[in-house]
Amino acid sequence: MSSTRPHRIVFANEKGGTGKSTTAVHVAVALAYRGARVAAIDLDPRQRTLHRYFENRAETAQRRGITLPTARCEVFHGSTIEELDALFAELSDDVDFIIVDTPGRDDVFARHAAVEADTLVTPLNDSFVDFDLIGQVDAETFKVRRLSFYAELIWETRKKRALERRQEIDWVVVRNRTGHVEARNMIRIEKALGELSKRAGFRVASGLSERVIYRELFPSGLTLLDKGHLGELGTSHLVARQELRGLVQGLNLPAGAKRTLELEPA
């Protein structure tokens, strides 16, 4: 039994299509490769993307007769906050991290998970459509005009948590899919994020670029970390693994999970 509560990493964004589940899976597997004990909760019982990924991973390991570092993943089917807390308590036994993947919509359980997060990760595509989730910009200057509803919600949540528990939520906005963004637009978003981060109190980290490999890996449940089981990797895949290394390091996870990321299977 862990002497302290497992570190909770919650991936939350009320907009779909930002690579949230893909990022969550890769972070979970990266931690498992480091020797951390990882559990996961999928809060979307309809899509079940995170859970399906780990199901596929288990099937591949069994079919090939190999051992793959992984996480125990459960889908939350309950209807009350108390049931969700009970699932957190059940999974907390003898684990270091609990990863939570939330649905791409406003959801009472996603909000509760965010309140309970130690690290809150909000993946965004590099576009002002996604940026609008956390901040509104002037149409002419692209300067931030105000926080959006979601950013205000997280701001109030973090403030309440700090006052009531003397604990802070480390909020990290992750810039996903930057590879196909026009340069001028990328600079505008970077400046807007920098300005908004000072107001809303989040950090900005580089995430995962748009690559076909992520979609291709889903049926097997493999990740870019499973080098020995992927065959020969091209240059773009090696670059993607480097991006993942940077993302995990950028999350600044607690001691015991900050060793140099080993991307080779044991």
Side-chain angles (χ1 to χ4, degrees):
M1 179 79 170
S2 299
S3 58
T4 58
R5 190 184 90 156
H7 191 88
R8 298 185 183 186
I9 309 172
V10 177
F11 290 80
N13 185 326
E14 292 182 2
K15 183 181 180 302
T18 60
K20 181 164 49 62
S21 298
T22 299
T23 308
V25 165
H26 276 76
V27 170
V29 172
L31 293 172
Y33 261 118
R34 294 181 176 191
R37 299 159 299 179
V38 185
I41 299 176
D42 191 330
L43 287 183
D44 192 342
R46 286 183 290 183
Q47 295 290 334
R48 297 195 312 119
T49 304
L50 185 73
H51 188 260
R52 285 287 299 125
Y53 208 116
F54 282 114
E55 277 186 337
N56 294 344
R57 188 171 180 82
E59 290 172 4
T60 294
Q62 183 178 21
R63 184 173 61 253
R64 297 188 184 183
I66 58 178
T67 299
L68 293 171
T70 191
R72 172 188 173 186
C73 185
E74 299 290 341
V75 179
F76 177 66
H77 292 282
S79 58
T80 68
I81 296 298
E82 290 73 21
E83 288 175 294
L84 179 55
D85 284 338
L87 181 57
F88 271 118
E90 176 188 342
L91 294 178
S92 294
D93 186 26
D94 202 32
V95 300
D96 303 302
F97 295 91
I98 294 181
I99 303 276
V100 182
D101 187 23
T102 64
R105 61 180 182 273
D106 186 20
D107 179 89
V108 62
F109 302 115
R111 290 193 186 192
H112 180 68
V115 170
E116 295 296 321
D118 299 303
T119 300
L120 178 64
V121 182
T122 300
L124 292 179
N125 295 329
D126 248 30
S127 77
F128 280 108
V129 174
D130 279 26
F131 185 91
D132 196 66
L133 175 79
I134 56 175
Q136 298 176 15
V137 298
D138 183 272
E140 299 295 333
T141 66
F142 295 97
K143 290 186 176 295
V144 176
R145 296 168 53 197
R146 64 176 67 91
L147 300 185
S148 292
F149 171 77
Y150 186 76
E152 291 178 344
L153 173 67
I154 300 302
W155 172 260
E156 292 300 323
T157 295
R158 296 174 72 229
K159 188 165 60 174
K160 181 179 179 181
R161 168 99 168 252
L163 288 174
E164 290 182 353
R165 308 187 195 177
R166 304 296 180 187
Q167 296 175 332
E168 293 189 358
I169 300 173
D170 184 20
W171 185 17
V172 187
V173 172
V174 171
R175 299 175 67 186
N176 273 348
R177 296 173 173 161
T178 57
H180 296 280
V181 180
E182 187 262 332
R184 184 174 61 176
N185 190 55
M186 185 183 296
I187 293 172
R188 286 171 174 169
I189 292 173
E190 184 174 348
K191 289 182 178 179
L193 278 172
E195 181 182 348
L196 189 62
S197 68
K198 297 174 184 176
R199 297 193 195 182
F202 58 77
R203 298 188 294 110
V204 180
S206 297
L208 308 179
S209 297
E210 176 68 30
R211 299 182 190 277
V212 175
I213 183 80
Y214 292 119
R215 295 189 291 274
E216 293 178 339
L217 288 175
F218 176 80
S220 67
L222 294 176
T223 72
L224 283 171
L225 306 180
D226 304 308
K227 181 180 177 182
H229 307 294
L230 293 175
E232 186 175 349
L233 295 178
T235 302
S236 65
H237 299 161
L238 297 175
V239 172
R241 290 171 68 227
Q242 186 62 36
E243 291 174 349
L244 178 59
R245 177 185 284 114
L247 167 61
V248 176
Q249 292 176 344
L251 293 182
N252 292 338
L253 297 173
K258 292 181 68 174
R259 302 191 297 274
T260 300
L261 181 58
E262 296 294 339
L263 297 181
E264 324 283 333

